[in-house]
Amino acid sequence: MSLYFHGAGFTGTGERDTIKATAKLHKYPDGTVEVLASNGEIGQGLRTTFPKIVANELNIPLEKVFYNHPDTARVPDSGPTVASRSLMTVGELLRHAAVKLRSDWKEGEDQVVTEHYKQPDFMIDFDMATFSGDAYPTYAWGVNAIEVELDTYTGLVKILGAYGNFDVGTPIDWNIVMGQMEGGFLQGIGYASIEQIGYDKTGRIRNRSFSDYLIPTAMDVPNMQCLLHVEKYPYGPYGAKGAGELPLVGAAGAYVEAMEQALGNVELHHAPFTAEDAIAELGKEAE
Amino acid sequence: MDEIRFTLNGEAVAYDGSAADRLLDVLRDVYDDRSVKCGCKEGECGACAVLIDGELVNSCMVAMGAVDGSAVVTLEGYRETDRFRALDKAFAEVTAVQCGYCIPGMVLAAEATLAKHPHPTDDQIREGLSGNLCRCTGYNAIAQAVANAAEEANGLW
C-alpha cells in the first residue's frame, strides 16, 4: 500500500513571479463565447472542462462555449500545459473571467474579458534558499493498494488487483478525471514492474523500441478499480485541484511493498522491481 | 510487372508499386487513409492495425505483395458501418478516448473481437485489445466501451 501526495501547480511563487498567467474570454455578438488560453488539449480534456466551467458560470448551454486548439498568435500566455496546473490555475482564471462577463453581459455586443493570476492571500512565500514556506498552494492525495501473485519458479507476477482512491478535489468531469486516474495509475504500475530502462557505459539508453521497453497492455491489470475522494480546494474552480501527475506517483510504492510481502518480508529499495529482480531475490533466499 | 489487385474498403484497386512496399506506407501515402497510424513500425503497438479478410493485422508488418487478392478495411471504410456507429457511441459515452492516437486501431481491434465473440467476456475483450497499446486510458474505459457496444448492439455482431 502507499499513501502519498503531489503538489498542484508550480512550486512556490512560480505562478506569481515566473508564469504570470493571463486568460481571456471573447463573447461574440451572437452570444457564443470563446475561451482564449494557451493550454494544449492532449487528451486530458481541457477542450471540454474549460468550456464546462465557463458555461456553468455564465449559465448558458455548453454548446455556446468553445475552446479551439490554441494558436499563440491569438491567445494570451496562460502558461505551459504542465505541473497539474491547467485546470486548477487557468480554469480558475477563466471562472473569474466568466463571473466578470456575466455581470457585464451586453446582449448582441462583442466583449472581451481578461483575467490575470493573483496568488492566494494565504500563501507564505516559498524561500528557495531555506526551502521554507508554502511549496505548493495545495496537494492532491492518493492511496493505492496492489495485490500480487508471484510465481517463485519464474519470478513472473500476476497483478490480482490494483485499487486507487484519489483526492484531486472536485471533478469538473467525472469521466475525464477517472480516465486520468486509471491511465496514470496503470502507467505507474508499468513503471513499478516492467518498464526497465537499461544504460550502457556511456549512459546511452539501450532500449530502442516497444520490443525491449514493455508497457502494460489491456491484459496486464484487468482488475484496476479507482475511486475519488473529494477534499475541495477553495482557490481552484469549484474546489478542483491538480490531477494530472498524482495517479502516477504512488503505484511504485504500493507495488514494491506488495513484492516485499510476497518475497517473505524482505526490504526492497528500487523500482522497477522486475521478474529478474524477483528471481535474484529468490536466489538469495535459497542460499 | 503485374499490378497488385485487392479491395480497399470495398473498392477494387490496383497498386503498381513494389511488392516489397509496406502496406502501412501505401495506405497512408498512396490512398490517403490517415487513420492508419505509424507508432512503432515493428508490429508491437497496433496503431496501424487494419482488417485483412476480417483478421486484425498490423499493416507495418505486411508487404504489398501479400495483399494481392485480399480485402483490406481501414477505419475510413469501417466508419460507414452500423457497427462503427455502435462503437463510436459506446466509446463516447464512457470517455474511452483521450489523445486518440491508438483509437483507429483500437476500434478495428474491437470489431475483430466482437466478430469472433458477439457476447464477449472481459477476458476476451482484453485479449482482443492486447495487441493495441494505449498509454492514456489504462484500458478500463475502452474495455467497458466494447462491452457496452456488444450489449447494446442488437444483433449487429
Side-chain angles (χ1 to χ4, degrees):
Chain A
M1 280 190 73
S2 63
L3 165 66
Y4 59 98
F5 60 86
H6 196 282
F10 268 91
T11 310
T13 57
E15 289 284 353
R16 183 190 69 193
D17 297 340
T18 309
I19 305 302
K20 301 172 186 160
T22 301
K24 284 185 188 177
L25 291 177
H26 188 162
K27 175 176 97 50
Y28 294 94
D30 68 358
T32 57
V33 176
E34 181 175 11
V35 172
L36 294 165
S38 61
N39 304 93
E41 169 64 69
I42 48 175
Q44 86 283 46
L46 291 178
R47 293 189 67 205
T48 301
T49 46
F50 278 176
K52 276 182 92 166
I53 291 168
V54 172
N56 185 65
E57 210 57 65
L58 290 171
N59 198 23
I60 60 176
L62 183 57
E63 293 72 30
K64 295 267 185 194
V65 185
F66 63 100
Y67 182 34
N68 287 332
H69 288 295
D71 172 351
T72 53
R74 298 183 62 228
V75 301
D77 183 358
S78 55
T81 312
V82 299
S84 305
R85 70 179 287 279
S86 300
L87 196 278
M88 180 183 80
T89 305
V90 184
E92 179 67 355
L93 282 182
L94 291 167
R95 195 185 69 78
H96 280 286
V99 170
K100 269 191 201 164
L101 179 59
R102 184 182 59 202
S103 60
D104 195 32
W105 186 279
K106 294 186 187 76
E107 208 59 48
E109 281 187 29
D110 196 85
Q111 289 175 275
V112 176
V113 176
T114 304
E115 193 69 25
H116 300 283
Y117 177 79
K118 279 181 218 75
Q119 184 169 294
D121 293 338
F122 73 85
M123 278 190 78
I124 300 164
D125 281 3
F126 189 69
D127 184 342
M128 288 302 280
T130 59
F131 294 125
S132 59
D134 285 328
Y136 294 95
T138 188
Y139 298 84
W141 289 83
V143 178
N144 293 164
I146 295 178
E147 270 181 296
V148 298
E149 187 179 277
L150 170 68
D151 183 330
T152 53
Y153 231 65
T154 62
L156 290 172
V157 170
K158 200 170 157 190
I159 295 175
L160 303 176
Y163 312 92
N165 196 352
F166 302 97
D167 167 28
V168 295
T170 307
I172 299 298
D173 185 293
W174 194 92
N175 275 357
I176 285 176
V177 173
M178 198 47 81
Q180 292 291 292
M181 298 305 112
E182 291 173 346
F185 194 18
L186 190 66
Q187 270 189 34
I189 294 169
Y191 160 64
S193 58
I194 55 175
E195 295 183 26
Q196 180 82 49
I197 297 178
Y199 304 89
D200 68 15
K201 281 183 204 153
T202 64
R204 195 164 43 189
I205 291 172
R206 293 171 62 219
N207 311 61
R208 302 198 320 165
S209 68
F210 286 131
S211 304
D212 49 23
Y213 185 85
L214 304 181
I215 68 172
T217 72
M219 289 176 77
D220 287 308
V221 192
N223 179 28
M224 179 174 61
Q225 298 177 35
C226 295
L227 294 169
L228 298 181
H229 171 92
V230 178
E231 293 290 333
K232 292 183 179 183
Y233 170 57
Y235 297 86
Y238 311 112
K241 304 193 278 199
E245 296 159 292
L246 176 82
L248 177 76
V249 301
Y255 181 81
V256 175
E257 203 215 2
M259 289 305 297
E260 285 180 337
Q261 290 183 22
L263 286 161
N265 292 321
V266 295
E267 275 197 29
L268 307 174
H269 299 285
H270 71 271
F273 194 82
T274 63
E276 290 82 353
D277 292 323
I279 285 290
E281 198 60 39
L282 287 161
K284 273 193 234 165
E285 289 176 20
E287 277 166 16
Chain B
M1 195 181 73
D2 288 338
E3 290 171 326
I4 296 161
R5 293 170 189 279
F6 61 107
T7 66
L8 176 56
N9 296 324
E11 207 171 296
V13 291
Y15 179 67
D16 60 5
S18 166
D21 286 349
R22 216 188 274 257
L23 176 59
L24 160 65
D25 300 329
V26 172
L27 288 173
R28 286 182 61 83
D29 301 338
V30 178
Y31 298 108
D32 212 28
D33 281 7
R34 301 296 171 91
S35 76
V36 188
K37 304 286 190 250
C38 175
C40 69
K41 254 188 186 176
E42 57 184 22
E44 290 283 355
C45 77
C48 68
V50 298
L51 298 172
I52 300 181
D53 297 330
E55 289 286 328
L56 188 71
V57 179
N58 290 329
S59 62
C60 69
M61 303 301 285
V62 178
M64 282 307 295
V67 176
D68 192 58
S70 50
V72 178
V73 173
T74 68
L75 199 73
E76 278 81 353
Y78 186 66
R79 67 180 302 161
E80 305 302 330
T81 64
D82 286 343
R83 289 178 173 189
F84 171 80
R85 281 182 276 276
L87 285 167
D88 185 34
K89 180 167 169 279
F91 272 61
E93 276 172 359
V94 298
T95 316
V97 180
Q98 289 187 32
C99 87
Y101 200 86
C102 72
I103 294 298
M106 214 43 109
V107 168
L108 294 176
E111 160 60 28
T113 304
L114 292 174
K116 218 172 280 174
H117 309 289
H119 306 287
T121 62
D122 187 55
D123 283 351
Q124 287 168 335
I125 291 172
R126 287 177 178 274
E127 190 179 345
L129 303 178
S130 65
N132 296 70
L133 298 177
C134 168
R135 195 53 150 169
C136 298
T137 63
Y139 305 105
N140 274 12
I142 295 175
Q144 188 64 53
V146 177
N148 291 354
E151 201 168 315
E152 289 170 27
N154 251 335
L156 278 176
W157 281 280

